[in-house]
Amino acid sequence: MTLKTENLAALIAPVIDIARAAGEKIMEVYCTDFSVSKKDDHSPLTEADMAAHNTILAGLNKLTLGWPVLSEEAAAVSFTQRSAWQRYWLVDPLDGTREFVKRNGDFTVNIALIEQQHVVLGVVYIPVSGVCYYAAARQGAYKQGLHEPAVPIHVRPWREGMCTVVGSRSHRGVSLEGFLANLGNYEILSVGSS
């Protein structure tokens, strides 16, 4: 059964609160002399990743009891199992861990609700600035600064002949290079997280 528009709208504020709570946990670690370990794929892992993961997991489980959570910091779930999920939370508790380690502030908390293989709600929270971006199906997209009202956002008009591509500062790989080679005129904006 698909979530109705009003049900999605009712989820936005609590999910933003969960993202902010995770951001607070991240900032608590950010202000310390934290250690860095490596995951199996050799990407960095910090106490902040796990603190944010645990905060988000607890918050989402309380908010939507029984909906699965697929998190970058959780145990792997087989494709066979997760492909049967009709609705689940997709989470990157600390997107931009490399940037977190560099202490440049370019990292986010990402929480999305997936329904029947489509994103229907998403929150991106920037702990350093307190800025939150969020959107929900049929609700629009918004940006909200710390202690400010939310304002609607949208894509900018197409500038004929020039495209802006946002790419990872840490993961510029073969697939992006192949895409850019076929794009024509573009400018690239390098970022460390969403």
Side-chain angles (χ1 to χ4, degrees):
M1 184 168 140
T2 303
L3 287 172
K4 295 181 179 176
T5 302
E6 57 271 16
N7 295 343
L8 283 174
L11 288 172
I12 292 170
V15 174
I16 290 171
D17 289 343
I18 292 167
R20 286 186 174 136
E24 288 175 13
K25 295 293 186 185
I26 289 168
M27 293 308 294
E28 287 172 10
V29 176
Y30 194 60
C31 297
T32 69
D33 187 21
F34 57 85
S35 62
V36 181
S37 60
K38 297 284 182 185
K39 294 190 273 189
D40 291 342
D41 66 357
H42 305 291
S43 61
L45 178 68
T46 69
E47 179 185 340
D49 292 271
M50 295 312 299
H53 165 79
N54 291 332
T55 300
I56 293 167
L57 190 61
L60 292 178
N61 283 334
K62 184 177 178 183
L63 179 65
T64 55
L65 188 62
W67 294 2
V69 178
L70 183 60
S71 172
E72 184 172 320
E73 307 311 337
V77 178
S78 73
F79 177 74
T80 303
Q81 182 180 355
R82 68 181 189 261
S83 66
W85 294 346
Q86 293 302 303
R87 179 183 298 138
Y88 64 96
W89 294 103
L90 180 61
V91 174
D92 191 344
L94 175 48
D95 183 33
T97 302
R98 286 180 175 88
E99 309 309 317
F100 176 86
V101 170
K102 293 176 188 173
R103 295 183 191 269
N104 68 13
D106 197 2
F107 51 87
T108 60
V109 175
N110 301 342
I111 303 173
L113 178 61
I114 312 298
E115 188 169 68
Q116 297 177 6
Q117 310 307 316
H118 297 283
V119 179
V120 295
L121 182 147
V123 171
V124 175
Y125 178 68
I126 306 168
V128 169
S129 67
V131 172
C132 183
Y133 295 89
Y134 64 91
R138 300 172 303 280
Q139 303 289 314
Y142 297 85
K143 176 182 179 181
Q144 185 174 26
L146 191 60
H147 309 298
E148 296 176 3
V151 295
I153 58 173
H154 50 81
V155 296
R156 67 177 178 230
W158 167 250
R159 292 185 298 161
E160 193 64 40
M162 179 64 77
C163 181
T164 301
V165 177
V166 179
S168 172
R169 184 178 297 129
S170 301
H171 301 287
R172 187 168 173 165
V174 175
S175 61
L176 178 58
E177 294 300 332
F179 174 77
L180 294 174
N182 293 311
L183 193 57
N185 291 333
Y186 65 88
E187 61 181 346
I188 190 152
L189 176 59
S190 293
V191 296
S193 66
S194 62

